[in-house]
Amino acid sequence: MYSVVHFTAGSLNMPIDKSDPDPNPNQSKASKFRWGELEEDDNLDFLLPPKEVIGPDENGIKKVIEYKFNDEGNKVKITTTTRVRKLAKARLNKRALERRNWEKFGDAVREDVGSRLTMVSTEEIILERPRTPGTKAEEIKVPGDSLAQLSKGGAVLMVCRTCGKKGDHWTSKCPYKDLAAPVETFVDKPVASEASVAASGSGKGAYVPPSMRAGAERTAGSDMRRRNDENSVRVTNLSEDTREPDLLELFRPFGAVTRVYVAMDQKTGTSRGFGFVNFVNREDAQRAINKLNGYGYDNLILRVEWATPRAN
DNA sequence: AATGAGCGA
């Protein structure tokens, strides 16, 4: 239901005599309400003397004198006295006081800003990375002198720990590095034979990981539990601000993760939008791929696939 | 759209 209220131009322009109560006391409730509203909405403050502010004085006392109409429509004077917290120089420590006296610098030199304003100036700083590709290394490079050749000359002794070959490649480049590692690197005591380990159960002494116990699979192809760089999963379409901890959090539930990596643009320091996650177990990697490929993450749809082995 | 960094007997 609506209550229809009729206004006439005359009623709005009527001179308002505040001392008079409702000029039409017998009118309906709606009309009475209308008068009340008019009184509140009409700003009659221009009839009042202006607001005065005195102080704050040396004691921090500030007075504000205002004039208002009260509910009865009478003019009243309101004086508000407040104590303003003094700008306490004593509260500033020595160093802060010193800084106050500094010359303006940065962009503030050119700006006409108040002495107490703080300005933010931006300055581009090129980050210097340790060893930028193609600087130092090239300067000392002797043409036609490969690392292998140097090693033959006795400068560098390059002996592969995996296959024992001399002067040919580093351990990490060994063509056989993905074959089972030699036992000696894992056990610090002379190894008991597999037969004796099996016979004495766990025996005493050095821990023997399951993969090394008698009966464990030894061939490179069938051993899924060997820790290596192969169970590598490529993740693309990562949002700009996805970092390695985020990737770990996302992939960790599928099994032990040996490494997470997010490719960064070295120049801008921003993510290139892809990364890699390596799993201890191939099956876990496969489950992660199945579950997370096409998964919505940070309002992007992830692509999760097997990575092709890194070119070395 | 896209496949990673660095170390060293």
PDB file of all heavy atoms in Angstrom, chain A residues 159 170 232 234 259 261 272 310, chain B residues 2-9:
ATOM      1  N   VAL A 159      87.918 -37.368 -13.651  1.00  0.00           N
ATOM      2  CA  VAL A 159      87.696 -38.808 -13.646  1.00  0.00           C
ATOM      3  C   VAL A 159      86.256 -39.069 -13.219  1.00  0.00           C
ATOM      4  O   VAL A 159      85.834 -38.664 -12.145  1.00  0.00           O
ATOM      5  CB  VAL A 159      88.651 -39.527 -12.663  1.00  0.00           C
ATOM      6  CG1 VAL A 159      88.439 -41.030 -12.731  1.00  0.00           C
ATOM      7  CG2 VAL A 159      90.090 -39.159 -12.958  1.00  0.00           C
ATOM      8  N   TRP A 170      82.345 -35.478 -16.819  1.00  0.00           N
ATOM      9  CA  TRP A 170      82.086 -35.417 -15.389  1.00  0.00           C
ATOM     10  C   TRP A 170      81.086 -36.507 -15.022  1.00  0.00           C
ATOM     11  O   TRP A 170      80.400 -37.043 -15.892  1.00  0.00           O
ATOM     12  CB  TRP A 170      81.497 -34.072 -14.982  1.00  0.00           C
ATOM     13  CG  TRP A 170      82.436 -32.928 -15.151  1.00  0.00           C
ATOM     14  CD1 TRP A 170      82.342 -31.929 -16.045  1.00  0.00           C
ATOM     15  CD2 TRP A 170      83.588 -32.658 -14.358  1.00  0.00           C
ATOM     16  NE1 TRP A 170      83.371 -31.041 -15.881  1.00  0.00           N
ATOM     17  CE2 TRP A 170      84.152 -31.460 -14.854  1.00  0.00           C
ATOM     18  CE3 TRP A 170      84.214 -33.297 -13.282  1.00  0.00           C
ATOM     19  CZ2 TRP A 170      85.298 -30.898 -14.313  1.00  0.00           C
ATOM     20  CZ3 TRP A 170      85.355 -32.729 -12.729  1.00  0.00           C
ATOM     21  CH2 TRP A 170      85.891 -31.542 -13.253  1.00  0.00           C
ATOM     22  N   SER A 232      60.132 -36.941 -14.100  1.00  0.00           N
ATOM     23  CA  SER A 232      60.017 -35.491 -14.142  1.00  0.00           C
ATOM     24  C   SER A 232      58.741 -35.089 -14.868  1.00  0.00           C
ATOM     25  O   SER A 232      58.458 -35.565 -15.962  1.00  0.00           O
ATOM     26  CB  SER A 232      61.243 -34.929 -14.878  1.00  0.00           C
ATOM     27  OG  SER A 232      61.196 -33.536 -14.853  1.00  0.00           O
ATOM     28  N   ARG A 234      56.314 -32.047 -16.245  1.00  0.00           N
ATOM     29  CA  ARG A 234      56.311 -30.651 -16.666  1.00  0.00           C
ATOM     30  C   ARG A 234      54.935 -30.052 -16.388  1.00  0.00           C
ATOM     31  O   ARG A 234      53.912 -30.658 -16.681  1.00  0.00           O
ATOM     32  CB  ARG A 234      56.615 -30.526 -18.144  1.00  0.00           C
ATOM     33  CG  ARG A 234      56.600 -29.082 -18.615  1.00  0.00           C
ATOM     34  CD  ARG A 234      56.794 -28.990 -20.095  1.00  0.00           C
ATOM     35  NE  ARG A 234      55.842 -29.858 -20.782  1.00  0.00           N
ATOM     36  CZ  ARG A 234      55.308 -29.562 -21.976  1.00  0.00           C
ATOM     37  NH1 ARG A 234      55.634 -28.458 -22.580  1.00  0.00           N
ATOM     38  NH2 ARG A 234      54.470 -30.397 -22.538  1.00  0.00           N
ATOM     39  N   ARG A 259      62.087 -32.728  -6.208  1.00  0.00           N
ATOM     40  CA  ARG A 259      62.467 -31.397  -6.639  1.00  0.00           C
ATOM     41  C   ARG A 259      61.269 -30.674  -7.254  1.00  0.00           C
ATOM     42  O   ARG A 259      60.453 -31.295  -7.939  1.00  0.00           O
ATOM     43  CB  ARG A 259      63.581 -31.471  -7.684  1.00  0.00           C
ATOM     44  CG  ARG A 259      64.225 -30.127  -7.979  1.00  0.00           C
ATOM     45  CD  ARG A 259      65.259 -30.266  -9.076  1.00  0.00           C
ATOM     46  NE  ARG A 259      64.622 -30.614 -10.337  1.00  0.00           N
ATOM     47  CZ  ARG A 259      64.859 -29.951 -11.479  1.00  0.00           C
ATOM     48  NH1 ARG A 259      65.711 -28.955 -11.492  1.00  0.00           N
ATOM     49  NH2 ARG A 259      64.269 -30.319 -12.593  1.00  0.00           N
ATOM     50  N   TYR A 261      60.610 -26.993  -9.426  1.00  0.00           N
ATOM     51  CA  TYR A 261      61.334 -25.914 -10.099  1.00  0.00           C
ATOM     52  C   TYR A 261      60.326 -25.063 -10.873  1.00  0.00           C
ATOM     53  O   TYR A 261      59.452 -25.592 -11.551  1.00  0.00           O
ATOM     54  CB  TYR A 261      62.367 -26.504 -11.060  1.00  0.00           C
ATOM     55  CG  TYR A 261      63.081 -25.466 -11.875  1.00  0.00           C
ATOM     56  CD1 TYR A 261      64.194 -24.813 -11.372  1.00  0.00           C
ATOM     57  CD2 TYR A 261      62.613 -25.112 -13.144  1.00  0.00           C
ATOM     58  CE1 TYR A 261      64.844 -23.848 -12.115  1.00  0.00           C
ATOM     59  CE2 TYR A 261      63.258 -24.139 -13.886  1.00  0.00           C
ATOM     60  CZ  TYR A 261      64.365 -23.508 -13.366  1.00  0.00           C
ATOM     61  OH  TYR A 261      65.002 -22.551 -14.098  1.00  0.00           O
ATOM     62  N   ARG A 272      58.084 -17.729 -15.768  1.00  0.00           N
ATOM     63  CA  ARG A 272      57.830 -17.954 -17.192  1.00  0.00           C
ATOM     64  C   ARG A 272      56.603 -18.823 -17.398  1.00  0.00           C
ATOM     65  O   ARG A 272      56.276 -19.200 -18.510  1.00  0.00           O
ATOM     66  CB  ARG A 272      59.055 -18.602 -17.838  1.00  0.00           C
ATOM     67  CG  ARG A 272      60.241 -17.641 -17.916  1.00  0.00           C
ATOM     68  CD  ARG A 272      61.518 -18.344 -18.260  1.00  0.00           C
ATOM     69  NE  ARG A 272      61.496 -18.886 -19.615  1.00  0.00           N
ATOM     70  CZ  ARG A 272      62.411 -19.743 -20.078  1.00  0.00           C
ATOM     71  NH1 ARG A 272      63.392 -20.120 -19.306  1.00  0.00           N
ATOM     72  NH2 ARG A 272      62.324 -20.196 -21.298  1.00  0.00           N
ATOM     73  N   ARG A 310      65.876 -33.432 -19.734  1.00  0.00           N
ATOM     74  CA  ARG A 310      66.605 -32.197 -19.956  1.00  0.00           C
ATOM     75  C   ARG A 310      67.801 -32.418 -20.879  1.00  0.00           C
ATOM     76  O   ARG A 310      68.525 -33.403 -20.737  1.00  0.00           O
ATOM     77  CB  ARG A 310      67.102 -31.687 -18.607  1.00  0.00           C
ATOM     78  CG  ARG A 310      67.716 -30.366 -18.701  1.00  0.00           C
ATOM     79  CD  ARG A 310      68.066 -29.784 -17.378  1.00  0.00           C
ATOM     80  NE  ARG A 310      68.121 -30.706 -16.239  1.00  0.00           N
ATOM     81  CZ  ARG A 310      67.998 -30.286 -15.000  1.00  0.00           C
ATOM     82  NH1 ARG A 310      67.744 -29.038 -14.775  1.00  0.00           N
ATOM     83  NH2 ARG A 310      68.100 -31.114 -14.003  1.00  0.00           N
TER      84      ARG A 310
ATOM     85  P    DA B   2      54.970 -23.890 -28.099  1.00  0.00           P
ATOM     86  OP1  DA B   2      55.905 -24.091 -29.211  1.00  0.00           O
ATOM     87  OP2  DA B   2      53.921 -24.884 -27.810  1.00  0.00           O
ATOM     88  O5'  DA B   2      55.826 -23.669 -26.775  1.00  0.00           O
ATOM     89  C5'  DA B   2      56.651 -22.526 -26.681  1.00  0.00           C
ATOM     90  C4'  DA B   2      57.238 -22.470 -25.290  1.00  0.00           C
ATOM     91  O4'  DA B   2      56.269 -21.951 -24.366  1.00  0.00           O
ATOM     92  C3'  DA B   2      57.656 -23.831 -24.750  1.00  0.00           C
ATOM     93  O3'  DA B   2      58.944 -23.663 -24.198  1.00  0.00           O
ATOM     94  C2'  DA B   2      56.615 -24.142 -23.669  1.00  0.00           C
ATOM     95  C1'  DA B   2      56.235 -22.768 -23.206  1.00  0.00           C
ATOM     96  N9   DA B   2      54.890 -22.594 -22.680  1.00  0.00           N
ATOM     97  C8   DA B   2      53.752 -23.302 -22.965  1.00  0.00           C
ATOM     98  N7   DA B   2      52.684 -22.887 -22.338  1.00  0.00           N
ATOM     99  C5   DA B   2      53.164 -21.821 -21.578  1.00  0.00           C
ATOM    100  C6   DA B   2      52.535 -20.938 -20.687  1.00  0.00           C
ATOM    101  N6   DA B   2      51.246 -20.993 -20.388  1.00  0.00           N
ATOM    102  N1   DA B   2      53.307 -19.994 -20.097  1.00  0.00           N
ATOM    103  C2   DA B   2      54.606 -19.943 -20.399  1.00  0.00           C
ATOM    104  N3   DA B   2      55.312 -20.696 -21.228  1.00  0.00           N
ATOM    105  C4   DA B   2      54.521 -21.632 -21.785  1.00  0.00           C
ATOM    106  P    DT B   3      60.090 -24.538 -24.761  1.00  0.00           P
ATOM    107  OP1  DT B   3      61.112 -23.626 -25.266  1.00  0.00           O
ATOM    108  OP2  DT B   3      59.524 -25.600 -25.639  1.00  0.00           O
ATOM    109  O5'  DT B   3      60.680 -25.263 -23.503  1.00  0.00           O
ATOM    110  C5'  DT B   3      60.176 -25.156 -22.187  1.00  0.00           C
ATOM    111  C4'  DT B   3      61.172 -25.946 -21.352  1.00  0.00           C
ATOM    112  O4'  DT B   3      60.571 -27.199 -20.957  1.00  0.00           O
ATOM    113  C3'  DT B   3      62.422 -26.322 -22.132  1.00  0.00           C
ATOM    114  O3'  DT B   3      63.494 -26.465 -21.212  1.00  0.00           O
ATOM    115  C2'  DT B   3      62.043 -27.666 -22.750  1.00  0.00           C
ATOM    116  C1'  DT B   3      61.196 -28.264 -21.633  1.00  0.00           C
ATOM    117  N1   DT B   3      60.110 -29.152 -22.115  1.00  0.00           N
ATOM    118  C2   DT B   3      59.995 -30.385 -21.530  1.00  0.00           C
ATOM    119  O2   DT B   3      60.748 -30.767 -20.637  1.00  0.00           O
ATOM    120  N3   DT B   3      58.972 -31.142 -22.010  1.00  0.00           N
ATOM    121  C4   DT B   3      58.088 -30.802 -22.996  1.00  0.00           C
ATOM    122  O4   DT B   3      57.211 -31.582 -23.342  1.00  0.00           O
ATOM    123  C5   DT B   3      58.259 -29.497 -23.574  1.00  0.00           C
ATOM    124  C7   DT B   3      57.331 -29.025 -24.654  1.00  0.00           C
ATOM    125  C6   DT B   3      59.249 -28.742 -23.111  1.00  0.00           C
ATOM    126  P    DG B   4      64.535 -25.278 -21.177  1.00  0.00           P
ATOM    127  OP1  DG B   4      64.446 -24.276 -22.249  1.00  0.00           O
ATOM    128  OP2  DG B   4      65.776 -26.016 -20.962  1.00  0.00           O
ATOM    129  O5'  DG B   4      64.091 -24.529 -19.837  1.00  0.00           O
ATOM    130  C5'  DG B   4      63.778 -25.296 -18.648  1.00  0.00           C
ATOM    131  C4'  DG B   4      64.374 -24.584 -17.466  1.00  0.00           C
ATOM    132  O4'  DG B   4      64.009 -25.302 -16.299  1.00  0.00           O
ATOM    133  C3'  DG B   4      65.907 -24.545 -17.437  1.00  0.00           C
ATOM    134  O3'  DG B   4      66.281 -23.515 -16.552  1.00  0.00           O
ATOM    135  C2'  DG B   4      66.203 -25.915 -16.889  1.00  0.00           C
ATOM    136  C1'  DG B   4      65.113 -26.084 -15.848  1.00  0.00           C
ATOM    137  N9   DG B   4      64.626 -27.444 -15.623  1.00  0.00           N
ATOM    138  C8   DG B   4      64.367 -28.032 -14.413  1.00  0.00           C
ATOM    139  N7   DG B   4      63.917 -29.252 -14.518  1.00  0.00           N
ATOM    140  C5   DG B   4      63.877 -29.486 -15.873  1.00  0.00           C
ATOM    141  C6   DG B   4      63.472 -30.633 -16.595  1.00  0.00           C
ATOM    142  O6   DG B   4      63.054 -31.697 -16.161  1.00  0.00           O
ATOM    143  N1   DG B   4      63.595 -30.463 -17.969  1.00  0.00           N
ATOM    144  C2   DG B   4      64.049 -29.303 -18.562  1.00  0.00           C
ATOM    145  N2   DG B   4      64.126 -29.323 -19.872  1.00  0.00           N
ATOM    146  N3   DG B   4      64.422 -28.217 -17.882  1.00  0.00           N
ATOM    147  C4   DG B   4      64.304 -28.376 -16.586  1.00  0.00           C
ATOM    148  P    DA B   5      67.602 -22.672 -16.767  1.00  0.00           P
ATOM    149  OP1  DA B   5      67.233 -21.245 -16.790  1.00  0.00           O
ATOM    150  OP2  DA B   5      68.358 -23.275 -17.885  1.00  0.00           O
ATOM    151  O5'  DA B   5      68.436 -22.963 -15.444  1.00  0.00           O
ATOM    152  C5'  DA B   5      68.088 -22.308 -14.253  1.00  0.00           C
ATOM    153  C4'  DA B   5      69.258 -22.391 -13.289  1.00  0.00           C
ATOM    154  O4'  DA B   5      69.262 -23.700 -12.690  1.00  0.00           O
ATOM    155  C3'  DA B   5      70.649 -22.219 -13.908  1.00  0.00           C
ATOM    156  O3'  DA B   5      71.400 -21.434 -12.985  1.00  0.00           O
ATOM    157  C2'  DA B   5      71.195 -23.629 -14.021  1.00  0.00           C
ATOM    158  C1'  DA B   5      70.534 -24.290 -12.817  1.00  0.00           C
ATOM    159  N9   DA B   5      70.303 -25.728 -12.921  1.00  0.00           N
ATOM    160  C8   DA B   5      70.032 -26.458 -14.037  1.00  0.00           C
ATOM    161  N7   DA B   5      69.836 -27.738 -13.799  1.00  0.00           N
ATOM    162  C5   DA B   5      69.996 -27.848 -12.428  1.00  0.00           C
ATOM    163  C6   DA B   5      69.920 -28.932 -11.546  1.00  0.00           C
ATOM    164  N6   DA B   5      69.648 -30.180 -11.931  1.00  0.00           N
ATOM    165  N1   DA B   5      70.130 -28.687 -10.246  1.00  0.00           N
ATOM    166  C2   DA B   5      70.390 -27.438  -9.852  1.00  0.00           C
ATOM    167  N3   DA B   5      70.489 -26.328 -10.588  1.00  0.00           N
ATOM    168  C4   DA B   5      70.274 -26.612 -11.873  1.00  0.00           C
ATOM    169  P    DG B   6      72.756 -20.786 -13.410  1.00  0.00           P
ATOM    170  OP1  DG B   6      72.754 -19.400 -12.918  1.00  0.00           O
ATOM    171  OP2  DG B   6      73.073 -21.085 -14.832  1.00  0.00           O
ATOM    172  O5'  DG B   6      73.744 -21.633 -12.494  1.00  0.00           O
ATOM    173  C5'  DG B   6      73.498 -21.710 -11.101  1.00  0.00           C
ATOM    174  C4'  DG B   6      74.220 -22.923 -10.541  1.00  0.00           C
ATOM    175  O4'  DG B   6      73.596 -24.118 -11.043  1.00  0.00           O
ATOM    176  C3'  DG B   6      75.672 -23.043 -11.012  1.00  0.00           C
ATOM    177  O3'  DG B   6      76.508 -22.455 -10.022  1.00  0.00           O
ATOM    178  C2'  DG B   6      75.912 -24.538 -11.127  1.00  0.00           C
ATOM    179  C1'  DG B   6      74.543 -25.157 -10.994  1.00  0.00           C
ATOM    180  N9   DG B   6      74.239 -26.065 -12.079  1.00  0.00           N
ATOM    181  C8   DG B   6      74.247 -25.787 -13.426  1.00  0.00           C
ATOM    182  N7   DG B   6      73.922 -26.812 -14.164  1.00  0.00           N
ATOM    183  C5   DG B   6      73.698 -27.824 -13.254  1.00  0.00           C
ATOM    184  C6   DG B   6      73.332 -29.164 -13.460  1.00  0.00           C
ATOM    185  O6   DG B   6      73.125 -29.750 -14.518  1.00  0.00           O
ATOM    186  N1   DG B   6      73.196 -29.857 -12.250  1.00  0.00           N
ATOM    187  C2   DG B   6      73.401 -29.316 -11.013  1.00  0.00           C
ATOM    188  N2   DG B   6      73.231 -30.113  -9.978  1.00  0.00           N
ATOM    189  N3   DG B   6      73.746 -28.056 -10.798  1.00  0.00           N
ATOM    190  C4   DG B   6      73.882 -27.379 -11.962  1.00  0.00           C
ATOM    191  P    DC B   7      77.988 -22.237 -10.346  1.00  0.00           P
ATOM    192  OP1  DC B   7      78.408 -21.058  -9.577  1.00  0.00           O
ATOM    193  OP2  DC B   7      78.245 -22.329 -11.806  1.00  0.00           O
ATOM    194  O5'  DC B   7      78.631 -23.534  -9.666  1.00  0.00           O
ATOM    195  C5'  DC B   7      78.312 -23.857  -8.330  1.00  0.00           C
ATOM    196  C4'  DC B   7      78.715 -25.285  -8.055  1.00  0.00           C
ATOM    197  O4'  DC B   7      77.802 -26.163  -8.732  1.00  0.00           O
ATOM    198  C3'  DC B   7      80.072 -25.658  -8.635  1.00  0.00           C
ATOM    199  O3'  DC B   7      81.082 -25.451  -7.652  1.00  0.00           O
ATOM    200  C2'  DC B   7      79.936 -27.125  -8.982  1.00  0.00           C
ATOM    201  C1'  DC B   7      78.459 -27.406  -8.878  1.00  0.00           C
ATOM    202  N1   DC B   7      77.904 -28.071 -10.082  1.00  0.00           N
ATOM    203  C2   DC B   7      77.266 -29.300  -9.930  1.00  0.00           C
ATOM    204  O2   DC B   7      77.171 -29.774  -8.789  1.00  0.00           O
ATOM    205  N3   DC B   7      76.776 -29.924 -11.018  1.00  0.00           N
ATOM    206  C4   DC B   7      76.915 -29.364 -12.223  1.00  0.00           C
ATOM    207  N4   DC B   7      76.412 -30.026 -13.262  1.00  0.00           N
ATOM    208  C5   DC B   7      77.553 -28.120 -12.413  1.00  0.00           C
ATOM    209  C6   DC B   7      78.045 -27.509 -11.324  1.00  0.00           C
ATOM    210  P    DG B   8      82.498 -25.165  -8.233  1.00  0.00           P
ATOM    211  OP1  DG B   8      83.151 -24.303  -7.240  1.00  0.00           O
ATOM    212  OP2  DG B   8      82.441 -24.777  -9.659  1.00  0.00           O
ATOM    213  O5'  DG B   8      83.134 -26.620  -8.158  1.00  0.00           O
ATOM    214  C5'  DG B   8      82.997 -27.407  -6.990  1.00  0.00           C
ATOM    215  C4'  DG B   8      83.411 -28.815  -7.330  1.00  0.00           C
ATOM    216  O4'  DG B   8      82.430 -29.359  -8.242  1.00  0.00           O
ATOM    217  C3'  DG B   8      84.763 -28.874  -8.068  1.00  0.00           C
ATOM    218  O3'  DG B   8      85.620 -29.778  -7.403  1.00  0.00           O
ATOM    219  C2'  DG B   8      84.430 -29.326  -9.475  1.00  0.00           C
ATOM    220  C1'  DG B   8      83.088 -30.013  -9.301  1.00  0.00           C
ATOM    221  N9   DG B   8      82.224 -29.882 -10.468  1.00  0.00           N
ATOM    222  C8   DG B   8      82.100 -28.799 -11.303  1.00  0.00           C
ATOM    223  N7   DG B   8      81.230 -28.982 -12.259  1.00  0.00           N
ATOM    224  C5   DG B   8      80.770 -30.275 -12.053  1.00  0.00           C
ATOM    225  C6   DG B   8      79.815 -31.032 -12.784  1.00  0.00           C
ATOM    226  O6   DG B   8      79.175 -30.700 -13.775  1.00  0.00           O
ATOM    227  N1   DG B   8      79.633 -32.291 -12.223  1.00  0.00           N
ATOM    228  C2   DG B   8      80.282 -32.764 -11.113  1.00  0.00           C
ATOM    229  N2   DG B   8      79.973 -33.992 -10.718  1.00  0.00           N
ATOM    230  N3   DG B   8      81.169 -32.068 -10.424  1.00  0.00           N
ATOM    231  C4   DG B   8      81.370 -30.845 -10.953  1.00  0.00           C
ATOM    232  P    DA B   9      87.008 -29.169  -7.091  1.00  0.00           P
ATOM    233  OP1  DA B   9      86.869 -28.650  -5.729  1.00  0.00           O
ATOM    234  OP2  DA B   9      87.349 -28.327  -8.267  1.00  0.00           O
ATOM    235  O5'  DA B   9      88.085 -30.294  -6.948  1.00  0.00           O
ATOM    236  C5'  DA B   9      88.192 -31.282  -7.529  1.00  0.00           C
ATOM    237  C4'  DA B   9      88.423 -32.557  -6.756  1.00  0.00           C
ATOM    238  O4'  DA B   9      87.213 -33.309  -6.951  1.00  0.00           O
ATOM    239  C3'  DA B   9      89.563 -33.374  -7.349  1.00  0.00           C
ATOM    240  O3'  DA B   9      90.135 -34.213  -6.390  1.00  0.00           O
ATOM    241  C2'  DA B   9      88.876 -34.150  -8.447  1.00  0.00           C
ATOM    242  C1'  DA B   9      87.441 -34.317  -7.898  1.00  0.00           C
ATOM    243  N9   DA B   9      86.418 -34.119  -8.939  1.00  0.00           N
ATOM    244  C8   DA B   9      85.884 -32.943  -9.386  1.00  0.00           C
ATOM    245  N7   DA B   9      84.983 -33.095 -10.336  1.00  0.00           N
ATOM    246  C5   DA B   9      84.919 -34.467 -10.512  1.00  0.00           C
ATOM    247  C6   DA B   9      84.154 -35.274 -11.368  1.00  0.00           C
ATOM    248  N6   DA B   9      83.274 -34.799 -12.241  1.00  0.00           N
ATOM    249  N1   DA B   9      84.334 -36.603 -11.300  1.00  0.00           N
ATOM    250  C2   DA B   9      85.223 -37.090 -10.427  1.00  0.00           C
ATOM    251  N3   DA B   9      85.990 -36.427  -9.568  1.00  0.00           N
ATOM    252  C4   DA B   9      85.797 -35.111  -9.659  1.00  0.00           C
TER     253       DA B   9
END
